[in-house]
Amino acid sequence: SLLVAQLKNQDPTNPMDNAQLTSQMAQISTVSGIEKLNDTVASVTSQFAQTQMLQGASLVGHTVLTEGNALAVTKENQGTAAFELDSKAANVTVTITNAAGELVDTVEMHGLDAGRNYFTWDGSKYAGDKSQLRYSVKATNDSTEVKTTPLTASNVVAATISSGKLMLELGSGATVDFNSIKSVF
């Protein structure tokens, strides 16, 4: 409409030349194309966020492994967690502590391969608060220390989108980025 108004109101003694008219039409066409592209990108972004939310919602009720050292204890007093080893380990000691950092128990393991390893702890003899138990892992191969990464099992209770990222809310109260999930079961 700006171009039409400009054409209607131009000076008849000095009309706009063809090059100016073509240039203005090209600029208007470019602006129109950019507006359509922005609308398309916004639509695709919205659809992507919806897809992410559906993906996250499918994890609600499942257990996921993330980096962390909390020890999940079941109603049957079984503590279960995992850890990753960078290389083989001849000797592994899992140390379980309470919220105050006091030693509760240790679990000895031998001859473990690199990668993810699981352990189970019998908590039936521990009378303290089992909801705040933590663990640490020390692994060696002969006299060489092996790098370890503790993994915590948590239930997914909700999925949200925050700053364009899929976030999972865990039963422990923590919120983690979907990309930090190591395993789902």
Side-chain angles (χ1 to χ4, degrees):
S1 44
L2 284 174
L3 181 61
V4 170
Q6 185 179 9
L7 288 173
K8 282 183 182 178
N9 296 313
Q10 70 179 328
D11 181 3
T13 61
N14 186 14
M16 185 185 316
D17 72 9
N18 287 340
Q20 285 178 316
L21 181 62
T22 304
S23 173
Q24 285 188 5
M25 288 177 68
Q27 289 173 355
I28 290 170
S29 178
T30 300
V31 168
S32 175
I34 289 172
E35 286 177 354
K36 288 179 183 178
L37 181 62
N38 284 342
D39 291 343
T40 302
V41 168
S43 174
V44 168
T45 300
S46 174
Q47 290 174 356
F48 181 68
Q50 291 172 355
T51 301
Q52 276 189 316
M53 186 60 90
L54 285 173
Q55 186 179 23
S58 70
L59 293 176
V60 172
H62 287 274
T63 301
V64 295
L65 280 180
T66 58
E67 285 190 29
N69 66 344
L71 181 63
V73 180
T74 65
K75 292 177 186 175
E76 294 81 27
N77 289 314
Q78 294 296 310
T80 304
F83 54 90
E84 291 179 346
L85 296 173
D86 277 6
S87 61
K88 287 179 126 182
N91 298 302
V92 175
T93 302
V94 177
T95 304
I96 301 164
T97 57
N98 62 17
E102 299 165 334
L103 178 66
V104 171
D105 202 357
T106 57
V107 176
E108 296 290 333
M109 303 169 80
H110 303 286
L112 299 180
D113 289 327
R116 188 166 304 140
N117 292 274
Y118 295 86
F119 73 92
T120 301
W121 171 69
D122 180 7
S124 62
K125 295 179 183 149
Y126 179 65
D129 180 12
K130 294 180 179 114
S131 68
Q132 299 296 314
L133 294 176
R134 300 284 180 252
Y135 72 97
S136 61
V137 181
K138 182 177 180 181
T140 58
N141 198 14
D142 296 324
S143 62
T144 306
E145 190 165 329
V146 175
K147 185 176 185 260
T148 64
T149 304
L151 303 173
T152 297
S154 301
N155 290 326
V156 177
V157 296
T160 60
I161 300 289
S162 176
S163 301
K165 294 167 98 177
L166 176 59
M167 304 298 284
L168 300 176
E169 295 176 23
L170 306 178
S172 64
T175 300
V176 297
D177 185 331
F178 173 77
N179 293 326
S180 68
I181 302 299
K182 302 281 188 178
S183 183
V184 178
F185 47 99

